[in-house]
Amino acid sequence: DAGVIQSPRHEVTEMGQEVTLRCKPISGHDYLFWYRQTMMRGLELLIYFNNNVPIDDSGMPEDRFSAKMPNASFSTLKIQPSEPRDSAVYFCASRRGLAGHEQFFGPGTRLTVL
Amino acid sequence: GDSVTQMEGPVTLSEEAFLTINCTYTATGYPSLFWYVQYPGEGLQLLLKATKADDKGSNKGFEATYRKETTSFHLEKGSVQVSDSAVYFCALSHTGANSKLTFGKGITLSVRP
């Protein structure tokens, strides 16, 4: 299996622009997670889905952030408009079944907002 | 709510030194406990896990024992290598269908040749 795939790997944009991050989970996994990692705040869970349905979006920082999962093999995290404080590494992860099972992480997207 | 506390870092060791990274947790019931590792430029990956009290997880020479009485899951390795340099995260999760991982802040380990 190819693992969790994220694109792009790096994104540099200017403040105010829309940014879309993409994730393809491992085939057969029914949970998908979006995380953000910064030096100051560490690893934060933003939102997660089960069978394409958002379960908990309490970690989404504000209305500028939105996430969708239109089907079992694709999810997006969108930031509109972007701000410099959104600069971070964004990880997507997927899992099959119950919480005791391993969560597989993608390589991350490094976002820089100028 | 649930929380995971890791010792402050970073940690720098010489090759072949003994490693202990402390982790304690606060949670109701009997969560599963995990150690994840993040190598430079990569995503996190599972290192080991334990699902009930007194279980020992082990992988790649690393070990951790689930201690319910002290609510701890300390990570140990008898002889570290330069290739073990990474960030280590302790985490817990309940077993409910929609449970999520609660991570500690992570600790950076650097191993000198």
Side-chain angles (χ1 to χ4, degrees):
Chain A
D1 202 319
V4 176
I5 298 172
Q6 292 188 246
S7 65
R9 294 293 310 275
H10 302 273
E11 177 81 28
V12 180
T13 191
E14 293 191 346
M15 183 174 62
Q17 297 297 306
E18 177 180 295
V19 174
T20 299
L21 311 181
R22 297 173 176 79
C23 175
K24 176 179 170 55
I26 293 172
S27 177
H29 284 195
D30 50 350
Y31 285 87
L32 184 139
F33 304 81
W34 282 102
Y35 292 88
R36 178 172 68 176
Q37 186 178 39
T38 61
M39 289 294 292
M40 290 297 294
R41 301 172 70 92
L43 191 66
E44 303 172 277
L45 176 64
L46 301 178
I47 184 172
Y48 70 101
F49 297 81
N50 175 219
N51 290 323
N52 314 335
V53 176
I55 301 300
D56 184 352
D57 65 354
S58 59
M60 296 287 262
E62 48 198 277
D63 292 345
R64 297 185 297 106
F65 286 69
S66 62
K68 294 182 179 180
M69 192 165 185
N71 57 62
S73 59
F74 183 66
S75 177
T76 59
L77 178 67
K78 186 176 293 186
I79 308 172
Q80 166 64 11
S82 58
E83 297 182 3
R85 58 193 169 118
D86 302 329
S87 297
V89 181
Y90 291 80
F91 290 103
C92 176
S94 69
R95 183 187 88 203
R96 175 165 53 201
L98 297 179
H101 296 171
E102 180 176 355
Q103 203 168 109
F104 292 82
F105 284 75
T109 295
R110 181 173 295 277
L111 173 66
T112 303
V113 183
L114 303 175
Chain B
D2 297 342
S3 66
V4 175
T5 302
Q6 293 184 232
M7 59 186 279
E8 293 288 325
V11 173
T12 301
L13 295 174
S14 296
E15 202 165 26
E16 300 184 1
F18 183 84
L19 169 70
T20 298
I21 300 177
N22 289 343
C23 171
T24 58
Y25 68 90
T26 301
T28 57
Y30 298 89
S32 294
L33 302 175
F34 306 81
W35 277 100
Y36 277 77
V37 59
Q38 183 180 26
Y39 298 105
E42 299 183 10
L44 282 71
Q45 56 185 273
L46 180 65
L47 180 59
L48 54 84
K49 71 176 185 180
T51 58
K52 61 181 186 294
D54 299 325
D55 266 3
K56 178 186 285 187
S58 61
N59 186 25
K60 299 182 181 180
F62 291 89
E63 294 183 339
T65 300
Y66 190 140
R67 301 289 187 197
K68 181 68 177 174
E69 64 277 13
T70 55
T71 62
S72 65
F73 193 54
H74 304 321
L75 183 68
E76 296 183 336
K77 186 174 185 181
S79 176
V80 293
Q81 306 300 311
V82 172
S83 57
D84 294 327
S85 298
V87 181
Y88 292 81
F89 293 88
C90 186
L92 70 81
S93 179
H94 294 282
T95 55
N98 286 327
S99 288
K100 59 188 179 184
L101 281 169
T102 298
F103 284 96
K105 291 187 179 298
I107 185 170
T108 299
L109 170 66
S110 298
V111 181
R112 299 184 299 242

